[in-house]
Short mmCIF file of all heavy atoms in Angstrom, two decimals:
data_model
loop_
_atom_site.label_atom_id
_atom_site.label_comp_id
_atom_site.label_asym_id
_atom_site.label_seq_id
_atom_site.Cartn_x
_atom_site.Cartn_y
_atom_site.Cartn_z
N GLY A 1 -8.32 -2.30 -56.82
CA GLY A 1 -8.19 -3.54 -57.58
C GLY A 1 -8.37 -4.77 -56.70
O GLY A 1 -8.76 -4.68 -55.52
N HIS A 2 -8.07 -5.93 -57.27
CA HIS A 2 -8.29 -7.23 -56.62
C HIS A 2 -7.04 -8.07 -56.86
O HIS A 2 -6.65 -8.31 -58.01
CB HIS A 2 -9.53 -7.90 -57.22
CG HIS A 2 -9.84 -9.25 -56.63
ND1 HIS A 2 -10.53 -10.22 -57.33
CD2 HIS A 2 -9.56 -9.79 -55.42
CE1 HIS A 2 -10.67 -11.28 -56.59
NE2 HIS A 2 -10.09 -11.05 -55.41
N GLY A 3 -6.39 -8.48 -55.77
CA GLY A 3 -5.13 -9.18 -55.94
C GLY A 3 -4.93 -10.32 -54.97
O GLY A 3 -5.71 -10.53 -54.03
N LEU A 4 -3.88 -11.08 -55.23
CA LEU A 4 -3.46 -12.19 -54.37
C LEU A 4 -1.99 -11.98 -54.01
O LEU A 4 -1.15 -11.82 -54.90
CB LEU A 4 -3.65 -13.53 -55.08
CG LEU A 4 -3.18 -14.77 -54.30
CD1 LEU A 4 -4.04 -14.99 -53.05
CD2 LEU A 4 -3.20 -16.02 -55.20
N ILE A 5 -1.71 -11.99 -52.71
CA ILE A 5 -0.33 -11.91 -52.23
C ILE A 5 0.05 -13.26 -51.65
O ILE A 5 -0.68 -13.83 -50.83
CB ILE A 5 -0.18 -10.80 -51.16
CG1 ILE A 5 -0.49 -9.43 -51.76
CG2 ILE A 5 1.23 -10.82 -50.56
CD1 ILE A 5 -0.56 -8.31 -50.74
N GLN A 6 1.18 -13.80 -52.12
CA GLN A 6 1.61 -15.13 -51.69
C GLN A 6 3.00 -15.04 -51.03
O GLN A 6 3.86 -14.29 -51.49
CB GLN A 6 1.70 -16.08 -52.87
CG GLN A 6 0.37 -16.33 -53.57
CD GLN A 6 0.50 -17.31 -54.72
OE1 GLN A 6 1.31 -17.11 -55.63
NE2 GLN A 6 -0.28 -18.39 -54.69
N LEU A 7 3.18 -15.80 -49.95
CA LEU A 7 4.47 -15.90 -49.28
C LEU A 7 4.82 -17.36 -49.05
O LEU A 7 3.94 -18.20 -48.79
CB LEU A 7 4.46 -15.18 -47.92
CG LEU A 7 4.34 -13.66 -47.89
CD1 LEU A 7 2.87 -13.24 -47.91
CD2 LEU A 7 5.02 -13.10 -46.65
N ARG A 8 6.10 -17.67 -49.14
CA ARG A 8 6.58 -19.04 -48.82
C ARG A 8 7.94 -18.91 -48.14
O ARG A 8 8.85 -18.24 -48.64
CB ARG A 8 6.71 -19.88 -50.08
CG ARG A 8 7.27 -21.28 -49.82
CD ARG A 8 7.35 -22.12 -51.08
NE ARG A 8 8.17 -21.50 -52.11
CZ ARG A 8 9.51 -21.50 -52.12
NH1 ARG A 8 10.20 -22.09 -51.15
NH2 ARG A 8 10.17 -20.91 -53.10
N LYS A 9 8.06 -19.55 -46.97
CA LYS A 9 9.32 -19.53 -46.26
C LYS A 9 10.37 -20.29 -47.05
O LYS A 9 10.10 -21.38 -47.60
CB LYS A 9 9.14 -20.17 -44.88
CG LYS A 9 10.35 -20.07 -43.97
CD LYS A 9 10.02 -20.63 -42.59
CE LYS A 9 11.20 -20.48 -41.64
NZ LYS A 9 10.86 -21.00 -40.28
N GLU A 10 11.56 -19.69 -47.17
CA GLU A 10 12.63 -20.34 -47.91
C GLU A 10 12.93 -21.72 -47.31
O GLU A 10 13.09 -21.87 -46.10
CB GLU A 10 13.90 -19.48 -47.89
CG GLU A 10 13.86 -18.30 -48.83
CD GLU A 10 13.76 -18.75 -50.29
OE1 GLU A 10 14.68 -19.43 -50.77
OE2 GLU A 10 12.75 -18.41 -50.94
N GLY A 11 12.98 -22.72 -48.18
CA GLY A 11 13.24 -24.09 -47.75
C GLY A 11 12.01 -24.85 -47.36
O GLY A 11 12.09 -26.03 -47.01
N ALA A 12 10.83 -24.18 -47.40
CA ALA A 12 9.58 -24.83 -47.03
C ALA A 12 8.67 -24.91 -48.24
O ALA A 12 8.90 -24.30 -49.28
CB ALA A 12 8.91 -24.10 -45.89
N ASP A 13 7.58 -25.69 -48.11
CA ASP A 13 6.64 -25.88 -49.21
C ASP A 13 5.32 -25.14 -49.00
O ASP A 13 4.62 -24.83 -49.96
CB ASP A 13 6.34 -27.38 -49.40
CG ASP A 13 7.57 -28.16 -49.84
OD1 ASP A 13 8.38 -27.60 -50.61
OD2 ASP A 13 7.71 -29.31 -49.39
N GLU A 14 4.98 -24.86 -47.75
CA GLU A 14 3.69 -24.23 -47.47
C GLU A 14 3.63 -22.82 -48.06
O GLU A 14 4.55 -22.02 -47.89
CB GLU A 14 3.42 -24.17 -45.97
CG GLU A 14 2.07 -23.53 -45.62
CD GLU A 14 1.88 -23.34 -44.13
OE1 GLU A 14 2.86 -23.52 -43.37
OE2 GLU A 14 0.74 -22.99 -43.73
N ILE A 15 2.54 -22.52 -48.75
CA ILE A 15 2.32 -21.19 -49.33
C ILE A 15 1.22 -20.48 -48.55
O ILE A 15 0.14 -21.03 -48.33
CB ILE A 15 1.94 -21.30 -50.82
CG1 ILE A 15 3.10 -21.91 -51.61
CG2 ILE A 15 1.58 -19.93 -51.38
CD1 ILE A 15 2.79 -22.17 -53.06
N LEU A 16 1.52 -19.26 -48.13
CA LEU A 16 0.53 -18.43 -47.45
C LEU A 16 -0.16 -17.55 -48.48
O LEU A 16 0.51 -16.81 -49.21
CB LEU A 16 1.20 -17.55 -46.39
CG LEU A 16 2.16 -18.25 -45.41
CD1 LEU A 16 2.75 -17.24 -44.43
CD2 LEU A 16 1.44 -19.38 -44.67
N ASN A 17 -1.48 -17.66 -48.57
CA ASN A 17 -2.24 -16.91 -49.57
C ASN A 17 -3.11 -15.84 -48.89
O ASN A 17 -3.86 -16.16 -47.96
CB ASN A 17 -3.15 -17.86 -50.36
CG ASN A 17 -2.34 -18.82 -51.22
OD1 ASN A 17 -1.68 -18.41 -52.17
ND2 ASN A 17 -2.41 -20.11 -50.88
N TYR A 18 -3.01 -14.62 -49.39
CA TYR A 18 -3.81 -13.51 -48.86
C TYR A 18 -4.50 -12.81 -50.03
O TYR A 18 -3.85 -12.13 -50.83
CB TYR A 18 -2.94 -12.51 -48.10
CG TYR A 18 -2.19 -13.12 -46.94
CD1 TYR A 18 -0.87 -13.54 -47.08
CD2 TYR A 18 -2.80 -13.27 -45.70
CE1 TYR A 18 -0.18 -14.10 -46.03
CE2 TYR A 18 -2.12 -13.83 -44.63
CZ TYR A 18 -0.81 -14.25 -44.80
OH TYR A 18 -0.12 -14.81 -43.74
N GLU A 19 -5.81 -13.01 -50.14
CA GLU A 19 -6.58 -12.34 -51.18
C GLU A 19 -7.01 -10.97 -50.66
O GLU A 19 -7.63 -10.87 -49.60
CB GLU A 19 -7.79 -13.18 -51.58
CG GLU A 19 -8.46 -12.69 -52.85
CD GLU A 19 -9.49 -13.69 -53.40
OE1 GLU A 19 -9.45 -14.87 -52.98
OE2 GLU A 19 -10.33 -13.27 -54.22
N VAL A 20 -6.69 -9.92 -51.41
CA VAL A 20 -6.90 -8.56 -50.93
C VAL A 20 -7.55 -7.72 -52.02
O VAL A 20 -7.48 -8.06 -53.21
CB VAL A 20 -5.57 -7.90 -50.50
CG1 VAL A 20 -5.04 -8.52 -49.21
CG2 VAL A 20 -4.52 -8.01 -51.60
N SER A 21 -8.18 -6.62 -51.60
CA SER A 21 -8.78 -5.73 -52.58
C SER A 21 -8.89 -4.33 -51.99
O SER A 21 -8.79 -4.13 -50.77
CB SER A 21 -10.17 -6.22 -53.01
OG SER A 21 -11.15 -5.88 -52.06
N GLY A 22 -9.13 -3.37 -52.88
CA GLY A 22 -9.31 -1.99 -52.44
C GLY A 22 -10.62 -1.76 -51.71
O GLY A 22 -10.82 -0.70 -51.11
N ASP A 23 -11.52 -2.75 -51.73
CA ASP A 23 -12.80 -2.63 -51.02
C ASP A 23 -12.62 -2.79 -49.51
O ASP A 23 -13.48 -2.36 -48.74
CB ASP A 23 -13.79 -3.67 -51.53
CG ASP A 23 -14.17 -3.43 -52.98
OD1 ASP A 23 -14.13 -2.26 -53.41
OD2 ASP A 23 -14.50 -4.41 -53.68
N LYS A 24 -11.53 -3.43 -49.09
CA LYS A 24 -11.22 -3.59 -47.68
C LYS A 24 -9.72 -3.41 -47.52
O LYS A 24 -8.94 -4.29 -47.87
CB LYS A 24 -11.66 -4.97 -47.17
CG LYS A 24 -11.39 -5.16 -45.67
CD LYS A 24 -11.82 -6.55 -45.21
CE LYS A 24 -11.55 -6.71 -43.72
NZ LYS A 24 -11.93 -8.07 -43.25
N ILE A 25 -9.31 -2.24 -47.01
CA ILE A 25 -7.89 -1.92 -46.94
C ILE A 25 -7.23 -2.75 -45.84
O ILE A 25 -7.61 -2.69 -44.67
CB ILE A 25 -7.67 -0.42 -46.67
CG1 ILE A 25 -8.38 0.43 -47.73
CG2 ILE A 25 -6.18 -0.10 -46.64
CD1 ILE A 25 -7.88 0.23 -49.13
N GLN A 26 -6.25 -3.56 -46.25
CA GLN A 26 -5.49 -4.39 -45.32
C GLN A 26 -4.01 -4.28 -45.64
O GLN A 26 -3.62 -3.92 -46.75
CB GLN A 26 -5.92 -5.86 -45.43
CG GLN A 26 -7.36 -6.12 -45.04
CD GLN A 26 -7.73 -7.58 -45.28
OE1 GLN A 26 -7.81 -8.03 -46.42
NE2 GLN A 26 -7.98 -8.31 -44.20
#
């Protein structure tokens, strides 16, 4: 599949975005 994983440090505003898919295992 094709997905987006997002992380944000508690108390912060910056969002880390990681677009991932089964075509490239990460």
Side-chain angles (χ1 to χ4, degrees):
H2 180 206
L4 177 67
I5 297 172
Q6 297 181 305
L7 293 87
R8 177 178 58 78
K9 187 175 183 178
E10 283 297 298
D13 295 324
E14 181 186 10
I15 297 175
L16 310 180
N17 293 294
Y18 301 96
E19 192 168 343
V20 289
S21 80
D23 294 332
K24 182 181 180 181
I25 304 297
Q26 296 175 293

